[in-house]
Amino acid sequence: MKKLLLLLFTVFCVSFNAHAQTSVSPLLGHESQIESIIKGMTLEEKIAMLHGKNMFSSEGIPRLGIADVEYADGPFGIREEMEPHSWNSAHLTTDSATFFPTGSALAATWSTEWAYAYGKGMSREARLRGKDMILGPAINIQRIPTGGRTYEYLSEDPLLSGMLAVAYTKGSQDDGTAVCLKHYALNNQEDYRGFVDVRISDRSMHEIYLRPFEMAVREGDAWGVMAAYNKVNGRWCSENKHLLTTVLRQQWGFPGMVISDWGGVHSTVDAVTSGMNVEMPGSRYMGQALLDSVKAGKVSENVINQRVREILRVRLTVKPIDKAEANSKPVGNAEEMATALEVARRSIVLLKNEQLLPIDTKRVRNIAIIGENAETKMALGGVGAGVKTRCEITPLEGLKQILGNSVNLTYARGYKSFGRDSRNRRQDPIQKADPQLIDEAVRVAQAADIVIFFAGDNREVETEGSDRKTITLPSGQDELAEALAKANQKMITVIVAGGPVDVNTVSRVSGALMVSWFNGSMGGQALAEVLTGRISPSGKLPMTWPKRLEDVPAYATGTYPQNMENNQQGDIFVDLTRNRSNERRQQLIANYAEEDLVGYRWYDQKKVDVAYPFGYGLSYAKFQYSDLQMKSAGKDLEVSFMLTNRSAIDAEEVAQVYVSRLQSSISRPVKELKGFQRVALKGGERQRVVIKLRRADLCHWDEAAQDWKLEPGKIKIQVGGSSDNLPLNREAKL
């Protein structure tokens, strides 16, 4: 029997102890000045601050020389400048930006270090563009793989999402730009997001869906939060007093400002009294209607003063950029491109390798590059934020740069990417393969030493405002993959996508399988470096890739998708951009019946096979885990083990620590991620890795106490390279 390690922990995790902010927020350093400012303001000036001035700014106090608040759209790159009151481009020549790898790619790095650098890079570019607040990071849990914004979000796991959100937040705000965490809260689908009511238990909400937001607020000191479109337990997020006041401001101590998602406010009195600071982008509810409500005595001016105070805390903390300086210097510079490259390098996930990778250019002289995704740019497309970038290296361009003239590259399109027709209508992505394109691709494949097939989605398939209806590869890619495999048995498939796709066919017919995500301005270079062995792949899946869509918990429980009567369609944001009414009378219910069993938690509990598990990712190196030890470290638990690189290849590994409850009076998942660390080892190097399991992360949410508590009992610590490969384990007692 394994030795039982006795550890002493206090049973209660009191909120303002175990989960408290470690320092006083700089937002609170201007209180006396703010009080003086508010006393000198007219009611009209106060109301003017509580709604949009134009599409991406809200009013300051011109008479007092207090600047407007300028918002930067996009969590993965600063959006181009728009006309003041429309969604049309301003057509500037100085508003390009770095296209950083999207959220799921950042999460695949499992690196807080590079999440911090990512946030800093975003801030540096926001400052050059005259922005005060970045509308990001986007940190909702990936409940469904088909979600239209799964590519923007980080992970299905709250700890991974939260740790990266904290780092991104600190990186941005340390550099001087406020973040705006979004979308608060439970905005886990795009279909019907503007009128769906999420129903969930308080415990599951806090432990899974709110946890990344709580971490970013309490540990990252986030200065801004965006209220989501949907309802939660019967109330719109923009007027949900439980979320905006009880949880955000009272339980978490948030001193900053809350803005609405664009068009997401539904009331005047309820919104402002529940904690909403700024209605964006217009003034339908928090303009004249709010002024009238105050004058009629329906809203106290004290409430208005508090909302203004919260805005001024951010405004006086973030140094405004003179409008004459904004967009006067080039953006997308070397330092930010270098950060985008480093993130992209660490995000690429190797799923399968039957000795095809890395490509040996001494033996391989002719490479067939098949698939439109080899040359498709992903900075723009679909609905929502994109990036007008000065540079985006495609996979085909990256391979040409790395290989030069040493290898002959022949390209064939292979399929027609999903997009829009001549009337700008979205096509159905599930189309039959094009026989002529297949024939051309097969001829190219037959003449090559090796085939690299670029499959996956694009930014039209995965887009804000609507969810994918399937994870089947679009444009007949499975049929094409089978034809290519018959033509050439040495085939590498690269999946370019923001979220999971059905890889059953391509995994079966390919000798190697890799995921390269929507990987930013430098993504093509990073991919070429990994394919050719200049860098060993080190990304790990931040979400489970299911075998079948019906195995996903939300689908398996029948709670998604919902059906709208009378074929009502539309989206609140899309309708706003097209000047159409977004009023919908029917209320849809999204019952989160799986509760806390999201992602790998569900597949573990239900013993469901998956295509590739959470945390999975291969390397060209071989790593060995050994000598697991544990000890108490104050209020936390310190786990250490030896990690050995048993190869001659320099590489990085993401070590993961999971905890199972062997004794519990409440329902628990089979195991949960409780710690991780990215480790760089040279060939043959051996290192003791230390990972701290924080007391706060071992607690559960007690609904009766409305607080975090640590339940005593036996636990099992498991350590390894993915959620299904945990060679080390040891028991402990809390």
Side-chain angles (χ1 to χ4, degrees), residues 10-300:
T10 304
V11 172
F12 291 97
C13 277
V14 180
S15 289
F16 292 99
N17 183 4
H19 289 67
Q21 289 175 325
T22 56
S23 60
V24 177
S25 172
L27 294 185
L28 300 176
H30 313 277
E31 294 302 279
S32 60
Q33 181 185 0
I34 290 171
E35 194 62 35
S36 176
I37 291 171
I38 291 174
K39 286 179 180 179
M41 293 176 68
T42 66
L43 177 60
E44 288 75 12
E45 286 175 325
K46 296 172 187 177
I47 298 298
M49 295 184 70
L50 305 186
H51 57 78
K53 179 179 181 179
N54 57 42
M55 199 59 73
F56 286 103
S57 71
S58 56
E59 187 80 82
I61 313 172
R63 178 175 60 86
L64 301 179
I66 294 177
D68 301 343
V69 179
E70 303 288 345
Y71 305 101
D73 197 14
F76 53 86
I78 310 301
R79 186 176 187 158
E80 67 181 303
E81 298 299 317
M82 317 297 287
E83 293 179 352
H85 301 289
S86 81
W87 295 97
N88 297 324
S89 170
H91 300 295
L92 302 184
T93 58
T94 55
D95 60 346
S96 297
T98 300
F99 170 26
F100 288 90
T102 63
S104 54
L106 174 61
T109 69
W110 292 58
S111 172
T112 55
E113 173 190 357
W114 286 105
Y116 181 92
Y118 188 115
K120 179 181 178 182
M122 287 285 294
S123 172
R124 284 168 54 88
E125 300 213 334
R127 299 272 83 191
L128 288 171
R129 295 277 304 280
K131 310 302 182 184
D132 302 304
M133 177 176 282
I134 294 168
L135 302 182
I139 61 175
N140 292 93
I141 293 295
Q142 295 166 333
R143 182 181 182 236
I144 54 173
T146 49
R149 300 184 93 155
T150 292
Y151 77 94
E152 282 192 36
Y153 297 154
L154 296 171
S155 173
E156 69 186 30
D157 183 81
L159 181 70
L160 178 57
S161 295
M163 296 288 281
L164 297 177
V166 169
Y168 181 126
T169 296
K170 288 183 176 180
S172 176
Q173 295 185 169
D174 286 353
D175 189 72
T177 310
V179 302
C180 184
L181 307 174
K182 64 183 191 182
H183 308 85
Y184 184 71
L186 292 103
N187 183 184
N188 309 110
Q189 64 182 75
E190 290 297 286
D191 282 356
Y192 312 127
R193 62 180 177 173
F195 35 97
V196 69
D197 185 0
V198 174
R199 303 293 175 86
I200 188 172
S201 72
D202 196 47
R203 181 187 165 202
S204 295
M205 180 170 66
H206 275 271
E207 291 186 7
I208 302 294
Y209 296 96
L210 296 187
R211 184 68 179 128
F213 289 94
E214 180 180 11
M215 292 173 68
V217 167
R218 284 188 155 169
E219 300 172 35
D221 185 32
W223 298 341
V225 170
M226 180 186 289
Y229 282 128
N230 50 283
K231 289 184 177 181
V232 173
N233 292 331
R235 297 303 301 266
W236 296 110
C237 288
S238 60
E239 58 191 55
N240 193 312
K241 190 172 184 178
H242 179 72
L243 287 177
L244 298 184
T245 297
T246 303
V247 175
L248 181 62
R249 298 196 186 278
Q250 295 176 356
Q251 292 179 358
W252 300 350
F254 175 69
M257 58 186 284
V258 176
I259 71 171
S260 75
D261 208 336
W262 269 230
V265 174
H266 298 266
S267 66
T268 297
V269 176
D270 287 348
V272 75
T273 57
S274 295
M276 177 62 61
N277 293 93
V278 180
E279 174 191 7
M280 289 298 294
S283 58
R284 178 178 180 183
Y285 294 102
M286 295 178 67
Q288 185 64 46
L290 181 55
L291 181 62
D292 294 342
S293 296
V294 176
K295 290 181 176 180
K298 294 181 180 180
V299 176
S300 166

Side-chain angles (χ1 to χ4, degrees), residues 88 323 377 690:
N88 297 324
K323 292 190 185 312
K377 296 190 175 184
V690 180

Side-chain angles (χ1 to χ4, degrees), residues 367-368 370 445 448-453 484 488 490-493:
I367 300 177
I370 309 295
D449 299 322
I450 199 168
V451 174
I452 307 178
F453 173 42
L484 292 174
N488 192 321
K490 293 183 177 181
M491 184 168 78
I492 301 160
T493 295

Side-chain angles (χ1 to χ4, degrees), residues 48 144-145 155 304 355 360 378 433-435 447 473 476 486 488 501 526 547 569 573 621 672 696 705 727:
I144 54 173
S155 173
I304 302 300
Q355 298 182 329
D360 185 353
M378 302 296 181
D434 185 305
L473 287 168
K486 290 178 181 177
N488 192 321
V501 296
K547 279 190 173 181
Q569 298 295 326
F573 175 78
E672 296 179 283

